[in-house]
């Protein structure tokens, strides 16, 4: 296997995510606030409120400021695209 065919190491493998931190659920491609743990799973809640959902530890990716800005732009683009004909 060549270096170019290797995927970069995941940023979140083995990394703990604190309650209150923003994180992405890579399984569902959703962003939320970490509100706790339920057994082995993290619990995330949508940023603007709503019901929490469980996320496997391997699917939780902490967000930094750049990731958060990218997510906000993506959500804004989704909203505006929905109103276009």
């Amino acid at each position: 296997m060549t270096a170019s065919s290797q995927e970069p190491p995941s940023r979140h493998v083995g990394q703990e995510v604190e309650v209150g931190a923003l994180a992405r659920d890579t399984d569902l491609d959703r962003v939320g606030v970490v509100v706790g743990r339920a057994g082995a799973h993290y619990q995330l809640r949508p940023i603007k409120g709503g019901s929490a959902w469980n996320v496997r530890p391997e699917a939780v990716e902490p967000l930094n400021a750049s990731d958060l800005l990218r997510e906000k732009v993506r959500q804004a683009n989704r909203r505006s695209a929905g109103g276009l004909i």
Side-chain angles (χ1 to χ4, degrees):
M1 185 183 294
T2 64
S4 62
S5 66
Q6 294 177 349
E7 291 184 27
S10 178
R11 294 186 315 193
H12 62 280
V13 173
Q15 189 173 0
E16 284 294 315
V17 183
E18 295 181 14
V19 171
L22 292 173
R24 176 182 310 281
D25 174 347
T26 60
D27 286 340
L28 299 177
D29 195 27
R30 291 178 66 188
V31 171
V33 178
V34 178
V35 294
R37 298 283 303 251
H41 291 83
Y42 284 94
Q43 293 182 311
L44 271 62
R45 179 184 53 78
I47 295 171
K48 292 187 175 185
S51 298
W53 72 96
N54 290 331
V55 185
R56 298 176 308 116
E58 330 47 82
V60 173
E61 178 180 61
L63 295 183
N64 60 33
S66 175
D67 295 329
L68 180 57
L69 178 58
R70 187 176 307 110
E71 179 62 24
K72 287 182 177 185
V73 169
R74 190 172 81 149
Q75 288 177 4
N77 287 341
R78 259 194 244 144
R79 283 191 303 273
S80 67
L84 298 176
I85 296 175

